[in-house]
Amino acid sequence: MPELSKKLAEVAAFATIGKELIERGDVAATRAFDDANQLTTLFTEQYERVITGADQEKLDRTITKLRGMMEAYIGDNWEDSVELLEWSGFYFGAALVHWALIANITDDEEIRSFSLDQVQQCRTWLTFISTRIGK
C-alpha cells in the first residue's frame, strides 16, 4: 500500500505547481480560466489541508518533476491561453488520480472526504477545459 505521507506530498506539489501556472500565465491564465483567482484559492486550500502530513523530501522531488513537465509542455508559450488549457488537461487528470488514491488508502475520514471533494473539483475543471478549449 502506498505511504500516505508521500501521496499527500504529491498533491501538495500539484497545488504548488497549480499556483505557479496561474501566476506565470497571468493574463493568459485569466483568459483561459475566467476566474483564475478561484483556482488560486483552490490550490491554496489544497496545500494547507495536506502539508502537515506531507513528506518534505517527496514534496521537493515532486515539485521539481511537475515543474519540469510544465516547462517542457508550455515552453515559451506562457501568453497562449490554449497552451495553458492543454497543459491543464494533463495537470487536472493526474491530480484527480492522486486525490482518488488518497481517498482510497486513508483511514482518516476527514482526509477521505476532502480528497473526494478534490476529485470532483478536478472533474469539474476538466469539463470546463474540454468545453473552453479552442473557443
Side-chain angles (χ1 to χ4, degrees), residues 94-114:
L96 182 153
V97 170
H98 283 77
W99 283 110
L101 177 59
I102 290 168
N104 289 331
I105 67 170
T106 187
D107 293 329
D108 183 316
E109 194 51 45
E110 186 177 325
I111 292 173
R112 181 186 328 274
S113 178
F114 183 74

Side-chain angles (χ1 to χ4, degrees), residues 31-32 34 80-82 85 127-135:
R31 263 193 326 270
D34 287 334
D80 186 340
S81 59
V82 172
L85 288 168
T127 299
F128 174 87
I129 291 162
S130 298
T131 58
R132 180 63 174 242
I133 197 152
K135 289 187 176 182

Side-chain angles (χ1 to χ4, degrees), residues 17 20-21 66-75 78 87:
I17 295 303
E20 283 184 24
L21 171 70
L66 288 173
R67 186 179 290 130
M69 293 167 66
M70 181 173 67
E71 290 291 339
Y73 194 91
I74 297 173
W78 285 95
W87 161 252

Side-chain angles (χ1 to χ4, degrees), residues 41-59:
T41 300
L42 173 68
F43 299 140
T44 299
E45 180 184 13
Q46 289 173 347
Y47 184 88
E48 290 173 354
R49 288 292 294 267
V50 300
I51 193 60
T52 58
D55 177 281
Q56 187 63 46
E57 285 183 37
K58 180 65 172 175
L59 173 65

Side-chain angles (χ1 to χ4, degrees), residues 7 12 15 20 24 34 44 47 54 59-60 65 72 79 83 85 90 95 98 116 120 125-126 133-135:
K7 297 301 149 189
E20 283 184 24
R24 291 186 61 196
D34 287 334
T44 299
Y47 184 88
L59 173 65
D60 295 340
K65 182 173 26 173
E79 72 292 339
E83 285 292 318
L85 288 168
F90 290 109
H98 283 77
L116 290 172
Q120 187 55 47
W125 282 105
L126 281 168
I133 197 152
K135 289 187 176 182

